[in-house]
Amino acid sequence: MPTIDQLLAEMAIRQLHVKYADAVWRKDFVAFGNCFAEDCEWRIGGMIMRGRDEIVRTFEGIVSHFNRILLTFRTPIIELGQGTASARTYVNEMTARKDGGPSTALGLYFERFVDQGDQWRFKWRLWQTLYRGNADLSGVFFDNTDFGTPPKMPDW
């Protein structure tokens, strides 16, 4: 049976995911930045961004190519530490791209979180694209490194 600490951490991490998805949808760069620790690292699309400011600047450039992005986070598989947690979380991404390109992606986030008192924040994130194409799954599936069963994670 989960402990109270585990339940509270999972609830806080789920709230972080929802706040992140909301900020992405609304293109709210302040709220988006508040999801990340100051010294966070984010690895996505072959890019490695370090620090909240660089992450927000890069995100501003990314979203300029989209009318909207809707993220739906699945239930994270969480491993809890002392004031930290790690998880792997499957994500559905639906986009309205300005260039009319593929509108659906399925992916997996490997994530590390830190409890900063006022809320949990992302400390480290790695995105693996699993699929990109149309919603009927007729697009491209990608092979990615399999790190094993949770809580196994890629190295920082």
Side-chain angles (χ1 to χ4, degrees):
M1 175 172 269
T3 68
I4 294 296
D5 287 343
Q6 290 169 324
L7 293 172
L8 291 173
E10 181 175 334
M11 182 182 74
I13 289 168
R14 285 179 180 229
Q15 283 298 303
L16 175 60
H17 283 153
V18 171
K19 289 176 184 178
Y20 176 84
D22 180 68
V24 169
W25 176 259
R26 294 182 305 102
K27 299 182 183 181
D28 182 335
F29 304 121
V30 173
F32 178 84
N34 194 42
C35 294
F36 294 86
E38 285 287 340
D39 60 347
C40 181
E41 181 176 286
W42 188 26
R43 296 169 174 248
I44 186 169
M47 298 179 289
I48 300 173
M49 293 152 282
R50 293 184 176 93
R52 181 186 293 168
D53 291 340
E54 181 181 358
I55 289 168
V56 171
R57 276 193 315 274
T58 303
F59 175 68
E60 288 174 356
I62 291 169
V63 298
S64 70
H65 301 283
F66 298 89
N67 292 315
R68 290 289 178 189
I69 301 170
L70 178 62
L71 300 171
T72 305
F73 285 79
R74 303 299 180 187
T75 302
I77 304 169
I78 298 173
E79 181 74 16
L80 190 60
Q82 295 289 6
T84 64
S86 62
R88 60 175 71 186
T89 309
Y90 289 88
V91 181
N92 290 44
E93 177 183 283
M94 294 176 59
T95 61
R97 293 172 53 137
K98 290 181 178 178
D99 69 4
S103 61
T104 300
L106 304 175
L108 174 59
Y109 261 122
F110 292 94
E111 305 173 292
R112 298 182 193 279
F113 310 89
V114 62
D115 181 356
Q116 297 195 312
D118 62 332
Q119 76 174 52
W120 285 75
R121 287 186 172 85
F122 301 118
K123 176 73 173 170
W124 182 89
R125 305 181 86 200
L126 168 67
W127 169 261
Q128 284 185 339
T129 302
L130 304 174
Y131 168 82
R132 181 162 303 283
N134 294 317
D136 66 1
L137 301 182
S138 63
V140 178
F141 287 87
F142 298 93
D143 289 325
N144 289 289
T145 301
D146 183 350
F147 295 101
T149 58
K152 293 180 182 172
M153 299 275 289
D155 292 331
W156 292 61

